[in-house]
């Protein structure tokens, strides 16, 4: 059992997702009391609400959090339900101190300037020696401000509300957004009996096989992370020509910009789990981007009007950190933290962020590494103060 110093305020971790749990364990392992504050009633809240079909695109072995391997029975590509089971077991196994039903609304410097003051639900004011913000990459659904959307007569939902294809059997469905979520939902709809599935694409994505001859794409992503961007772009272009067929005739040409160049701009390639086959067979139709809604129909960028029964907006999420820490000048113009992992903003020492990047090497893997680095930095800081 860990023994904590009674004279040092705890480190508060905001969010009981994988990043927050990993950070709490790593801190506890170094003898630092970490208290996790979670606004929902359970750990892994966002994973509980993802679509049923979802599996990690990273391997089981390289997705485990520090201190507890994922069970072999989960298979190589871990399902959403098994991720939730793992996070529950992780919190129990490490005896993490988690307080659920508590939402932190604002973080600011403590009056004496030595720590942090957290304003939380129920009028709570909590003082911590440091704070790890881990509220999640997929926090608040982002829906573009499409003109005329209120006139649309069909069903409209964000991908965060999608669970499975059953309610859409026999329907004409338009999925908007060609990221991994949009691609997987489109395939799920096809396999679940939707009558017609269209995928609206604004920027043509890179498509990568999740695994080729047993070699996971994640392995390549780890190997090339420190190579020059131009070199990785060339390597990826060659690999794509060998492993992914040309889908230009189906409306999905090869992108004109390099894969790694796009990653630097925040665009993660699609890891194929059925989209290529579905597009080749015409089961998923590629159409132009959505521009708006008109007279109950959807207007596409090429001027086409379509009338699907349902529109599913796979248009991503925003971090929604402005109210929490925006006043501290620690966010960039996109609302993303200016630092992550063990680095803290110069004007906010002791304030850490984890889980707000989406690296091609795997988010779980990077959060696990960040957790250890954060704990090491916090321990060193506490020894010198």
């Amino acid at each position: 059992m860990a023994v904590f110093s009674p004279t040092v305020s705890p480190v508060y971790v905001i969010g009981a997702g994988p990043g927050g749990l990993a950070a709490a364990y790593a801190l506890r392992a170094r003898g630092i009391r970490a208290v996790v504050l979670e606004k929902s009633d359970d750990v892994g809240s966002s994973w509980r609400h993802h679509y049923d079909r979802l599996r990690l695109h990273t391997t089981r072995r390289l997705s485990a959090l520090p201190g507890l391997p994922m069970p072999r029975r989960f298979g190589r590509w871990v399902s959403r339900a098994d991720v939730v089971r793992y996070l529950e077991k992780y919190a129990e196994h490490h005896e993490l101190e988690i307080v659920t039903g508590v939402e932190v609304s604002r973080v600011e410097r403590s009056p004496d300037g030595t720590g942090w003051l957290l304003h939380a639900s129920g009028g709570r004011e909590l003082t911590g020696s440091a704070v790890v913000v881990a509220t999640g990459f997929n926090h608040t659904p982002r829906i573009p401000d499409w003109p005329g959307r209120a006139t649309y007569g069909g069903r409209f939902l964000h991908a965060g509300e999608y669970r499975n294809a059953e309610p859409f059997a026999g329907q004409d469905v338009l999925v908007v957004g060609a990221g991994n979520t949009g691609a997987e939902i489109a395939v799920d709809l096809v396999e679940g009996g939707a009558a017609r599935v269209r995928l609206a694409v604004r920027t043509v994505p890179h498509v990568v096989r999740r695994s080729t001859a047993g070699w996971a794409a994640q392995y390549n992503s780890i190997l090339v992370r420190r190579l020059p961007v131009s070199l990785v772009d060339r390597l990826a272009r060659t690999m794509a020509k060998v492993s992914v067929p040309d889908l230009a005739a189906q409306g999905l040409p090869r992108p004109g910009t390099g894969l790694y160049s796009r990653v630097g701009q925040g665009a993660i390639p699609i890891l194929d789990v059925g989209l290529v086959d579905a597009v080749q067979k015409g089961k998923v139709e590629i159409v132009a981007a959505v521009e708006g809604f008109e007279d109950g129909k959807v207007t596409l960028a090429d001027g086409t009007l379509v009338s699907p029964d349902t529109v599913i907006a796979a248009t991503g999420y925003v971090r929604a950190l402005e109210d929490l820490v925006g006043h501290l000048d620690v966010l960039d113009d996109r609302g993303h933290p200016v630092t992550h992992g063990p680095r803290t903003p110069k004007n906010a020492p002791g304030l850490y962020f984890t889980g707000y990047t989406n690296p091609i090497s795997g988010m779980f893997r990077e959060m696990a590494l960040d957790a250890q680095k954060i704990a090491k930095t916090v321990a060193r800081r506490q020894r010198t103060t």
Side-chain angles (χ1 to χ4, degrees):
M1 179 177 294
V3 178
F4 307 117
S5 170
T7 62
V8 179
S9 299
V11 174
Y12 282 105
V13 179
I14 306 174
L21 297 180
Y25 161 73
L27 288 162
R28 182 183 177 88
R30 288 182 175 270
I32 300 169
R33 184 186 175 200
V35 179
V36 182
L37 304 175
E38 168 57 45
K39 69 177 183 179
S40 73
D41 295 329
D42 302 285
V43 302
S45 177
S46 65
W47 277 91
R48 295 174 187 275
H49 296 96
H50 285 315
Y51 49 96
D52 296 344
R53 172 193 186 92
L54 179 63
R55 290 180 176 270
L56 289 178
H57 291 153
T58 52
T59 65
R60 180 192 74 253
R61 292 183 62 187
L62 293 180
S63 299
L65 302 179
L68 186 68
M70 287 188 171
R72 288 177 60 88
R73 68 178 183 275
F74 285 179
R76 193 181 196 195
W77 312 108
V78 182
S79 71
R80 178 201 63 81
D82 282 336
V83 168
V84 172
R85 294 186 185 98
Y86 173 72
L87 295 178
E88 291 173 338
K89 181 64 177 179
Y90 191 86
E92 177 187 356
H93 178 79
H94 292 306
E95 299 180 338
L96 300 182
E97 189 173 349
I98 302 171
V99 184
T100 59
V102 175
E103 182 173 7
V104 179
S105 57
R106 185 179 175 90
V107 176
E108 57 188 32
R109 295 294 289 178
S110 59
D112 63 6
T114 62
W116 294 93
L117 178 65
L118 286 69
H119 299 271
S121 53
R124 297 176 179 87
E125 291 189 348
L126 308 169
T127 302
S129 58
V131 175
V132 180
V133 182
T135 54
F137 191 86
N138 296 336
H139 188 276
T140 301
R142 184 184 75 85
I143 298 177
D145 187 21
W146 285 307
R149 187 166 71 84
T151 70
Y152 177 55
R155 183 179 180 185
F156 181 96
L157 65 155
H158 186 271
E161 302 173 76
Y162 179 89
R163 296 294 171 267
N164 55 59
E166 183 177 351
F168 310 100
Q171 289 192 12
D172 179 340
V173 185
L174 173 66
V175 181
V176 186
N180 278 290
T181 297
E184 289 195 31
I185 287 177
V187 173
D188 195 45
L189 288 164
V190 167
E191 295 178 356
R196 185 177 188 180
V197 179
R198 285 174 280 202
L199 181 63
V201 177
R202 183 172 298 279
T203 302
V204 178
H206 285 272
V207 180
V208 177
R209 297 291 191 187
R210 184 173 66 177
S211 179
T212 303
W215 180 264
Q218 184 185 15
Y219 300 158
N220 290 334
S221 300
I222 294 170
L223 291 173
V224 305
R225 285 201 69 185
R226 300 190 183 280
L227 294 179
V229 172
S230 59
L231 174 59
V232 179
D233 282 347
R234 291 197 298 272
L235 292 172
R237 190 176 302 114
T238 300
M239 177 67 74
K241 289 181 179 179
V242 172
S243 61
V244 180
D246 185 358
L247 300 174
Q250 289 80 23
L252 206 61
R254 300 189 190 280
T257 53
L259 182 151
Y260 210 32
S261 295
R262 292 270 291 277
V263 168
Q265 300 166 5
I268 301 300
I270 290 177
L271 290 170
D272 180 47
V273 290
L275 181 68
V276 169
D277 183 64
V279 170
Q280 273 189 310
K281 294 179 178 179
K283 294 180 179 180
V284 171
E285 305 170 44
I286 304 299
V287 298
V290 171
E291 289 295 303
F293 294 76
E294 181 180 336
D295 297 328
K297 298 181 179 180
V298 184
T299 306
L300 304 181
D302 61 3
T304 304
L305 289 175
V306 296
S307 302
D309 300 309
T310 299
V311 174
I312 301 175
T315 46
Y317 295 79
V318 294
R319 311 294 88 82
L321 292 169
E322 287 78 8
D323 290 343
L324 185 69
V325 296
H327 55 285
L328 298 172
D329 193 27
V330 295
L331 304 177
D332 62 20
D333 56 4
R334 299 175 300 165
H336 296 183
V338 296
T339 62
H340 72 275
R343 295 182 297 114
T344 62
K346 291 182 179 179
N347 58 321
L351 181 64
Y352 303 88
F353 296 90
T354 184
Y356 296 100
T357 60
N358 193 12
I360 58 174
S361 53
M363 184 178 286
F364 271 58
R365 177 179 181 272
E366 296 304 320
M367 286 190 293
L369 295 172
D370 278 349
Q372 302 281 28
K373 294 174 183 176
I374 290 171
K376 182 178 180 180
T377 301
V378 171
R380 183 172 61 246
R381 185 168 176 265
Q382 288 192 356
R383 288 195 301 267
T384 59
T385 56

